[in-house]
């Protein structure tokens, strides 16, 4: 199939990539695929055959034979098929087997040497590439991995947002940090960005709400783990949906339009955006005013040789502002973060003034 570079772009409905975390047996793969092909939104069937596991001694995938099962899925269902590649050897084998889509997993995308070797291995082919975000939120590392595939001439590339390793316990297996894929989209405007709600959620509780949020942010597609018998899955058992659960999820998904050309809507939006513009510039004026007062404070402290940090004052600022914010129905953690950023900048400015004396 020749590529027009539009393979990963959505039309009316987002593109759905679905299938088990791991290919486990020919039966499990084909059975799941036959269930999924009944759902018209599913375009790509996924299954990992080489599984990167945290600890040794766990199920590490069925290996090469899984590629033959994916070929069967291709032939018998007409679905495109996708698998994860972590080395150039994997990539070569997958290409030889005619796998349509190769994805770079989160444990590989953060390793530029491996990514480059894989990119070199697929150079000149028509294969489609999906690049998951690295485990930690480094947008440049993610973007760099994607660029390596553009650089070898791959036309169809998508990014997959699968969340970021949380260093403390959270309800999610991986933190969504939605600002990171948004930043990536700013860096590479034409790049289709998908969401993998399964690996963000880590269980089946949040897959629907995360998928909806991805739609609210106008993402191009979803990669969702679906198993014909989730309770017996050999990997990621607690986060895989049954085909029926996927069907319900897709039925309930509200797909948002990127734009709406209605005149009244446009006029209303324009008016509201003008208001926002004014507020933002007002905020910036106030911040500039605050900065100039901070400089005066800094000069006084420097003259009197008084320490920059005044713990009691900072404690009081926090207390009074958070109380005020609460009365205005502003979210506590948002205001706390904002105050911390403002305070950090105040300390930086005062340090500069002190140094220059
Ligand atoms: C997977 O998709 O099964 C997988 C291993 O994902 P990730 O690389 O996002 O952990
Ligand atoms: Mn998985």
């Amino acid at each position: 199939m020749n590529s027009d570079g539009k393979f990963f772009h959505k039309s009316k409905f987002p593109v759905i990539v679905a299938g088990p975390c791991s290919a486990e047996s020919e039966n499990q793969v084909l059975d799941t695929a036959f269930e999924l092909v009944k759902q018209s939104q599913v375009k790509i069937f996924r299954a990992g055959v080489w599984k990167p596991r945290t600890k040794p001694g766990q199920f590490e995938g069925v290996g090469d034979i899984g590629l033959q099962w994916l070929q069967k899925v291709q032939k018998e269902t007409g679905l495109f098929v996708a698998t994860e590649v972590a080395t150039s050897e994997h990539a070569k084998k997958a290409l030889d087997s005619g796998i349509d889509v190769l994805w770079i997993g989160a444990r590989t995308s953060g390793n530029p040497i491996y990514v480059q070797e894989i990119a070199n291995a697929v150079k000149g082919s028509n294969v489609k590439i999906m690049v998951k975000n690295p485990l930690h939120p480094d947008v440049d590392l993610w973007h760099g991995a994607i660029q390596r595939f553009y650089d070898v001439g791959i036309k169809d590339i998508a990014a997959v947002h699968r969340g970021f390793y949380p260093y403390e316990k959270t309800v999610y297996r991986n933190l969504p940090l939605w600002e990171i894929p948004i930043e990536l989209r700013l860096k590479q405007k034409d790049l289709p960005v998908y969401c993998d709600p399964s690996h963000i959620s880590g269980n089946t509780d949040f897959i629907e709400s995360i998928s909806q949020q991805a739609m609210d942010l106008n993402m191009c597609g979803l990669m969702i783990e679906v198993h014909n018998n989730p309770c017996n899955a050999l990997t990621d058992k607690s986060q895989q949906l049954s085909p029926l659960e996927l069907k319900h999820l897709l039925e309930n998904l509200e797909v948002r339009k990127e734009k709406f050309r209605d005149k009244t809507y446009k006029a209303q939006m324009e008016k509201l955006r003008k208001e926002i513009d004014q507020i933002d510039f007002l905020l910036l004026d106030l911040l500039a005013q605050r900065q100039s007062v901070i400089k005066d404070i800094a000069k006084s402290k420097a003259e009197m040789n008084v320490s920059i940090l005044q713990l009691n004052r900072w404690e009081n600022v926090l207390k009074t502002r958070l109380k005020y914010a609460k009365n205005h129905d502003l979210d506590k953690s948002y205001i706390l973060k904002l105050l911390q950023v403002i305070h950090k900048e105040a300390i930086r400015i005062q340090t500069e003034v002190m140094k220059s004396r």
Side-chain angles (χ1 to χ4, degrees), residues 61-266:
V62 293
D64 303 4
I65 187 142
L67 300 175
Q68 294 176 26
W69 307 339
L70 288 174
Q71 285 175 326
K72 273 203 169 167
V73 170
Q74 250 174 347
K75 265 199 219 108
E76 297 188 20
T77 66
L79 289 166
F80 293 101
V81 293
T83 201
E84 173 172 349
V85 296
T87 64
S88 55
E89 201 58 35
H90 291 164
K92 282 180 205 147
K93 286 180 178 175
L95 282 189
D96 288 345
S97 304
I99 304 300
D100 306 289
V101 179
L102 311 187
W103 86 78
I104 314 301
R107 287 156 196 78
T108 308
S109 63
N111 183 333
I113 305 238
Y114 273 38
V115 173
Q116 190 58 53
E117 281 181 8
I118 297 169
N120 295 343
V122 299
K123 186 176 177 171
S125 77
N126 242 334
V127 78
K128 289 106 183 63
I129 299 284
M130 301 184 98
V131 183
K132 291 200 172 194
N133 62 261
L135 293 171
H136 62 290
D138 182 338
V139 72
D140 284 321
L141 195 58
W142 191 8
H143 189 209
I146 290 161
Q147 282 173 317
R148 290 176 197 278
F149 290 98
Y150 280 120
D151 289 351
V152 295
I154 298 294
K155 293 219 168 48
D156 290 293
I157 302 175
V160 183
H161 165 230
R162 50 79 74 201
F164 302 89
Y165 182 76
Y167 287 91
E168 49 200 47
K169 214 172 159 30
T170 68
V171 292
Y172 297 124
R173 178 179 177 192
N174 290 292
L175 294 173
L177 306 182
W178 295 98
E179 63 278 14
I180 304 286
I182 293 175
E183 208 180 322
L184 179 71
R185 280 157 77 184
L186 278 179
K187 285 179 188 282
Q188 190 81 46
K189 297 246 174 59
D190 49 348
L191 175 73
V193 179
Y194 282 48
C195 179
D196 168 348
S198 309
H199 287 87
I200 294 177
S201 182
N203 57 47
T204 53
D205 295 351
F206 307 111
I207 297 182
E208 190 158 339
S209 59
I210 295 164
S211 302
Q212 186 55 55
Q213 182 141 15
M215 294 301 97
D216 296 346
L217 297 177
N218 195 31
M219 286 195 170
C220 260
L222 299 168
M223 181 190 268
I224 303 183
E225 287 189 341
V226 182
H227 192 289
N228 64 339
N229 190 355
C231 302
N232 292 329
L234 297 180
T235 54
D236 285 352
K237 180 172 161 158
S238 46
Q239 72 189 30
Q240 303 205 54
L241 297 181
S242 67
L244 189 65
E245 285 169 328
L246 178 74
K247 184 168 183 278
H248 290 150
L249 184 150
L250 297 179
E251 278 165 5
N252 292 332
L253 205 61
E254 298 275 359
V255 180
R256 317 284 183 204
K257 306 182 245 326
E258 190 183 355
K259 289 197 175 100
F260 186 43
R261 294 184 207 287
D262 177 79
K263 256 196 193 151
T264 326
Y265 163 82
K266 270 181 133 178

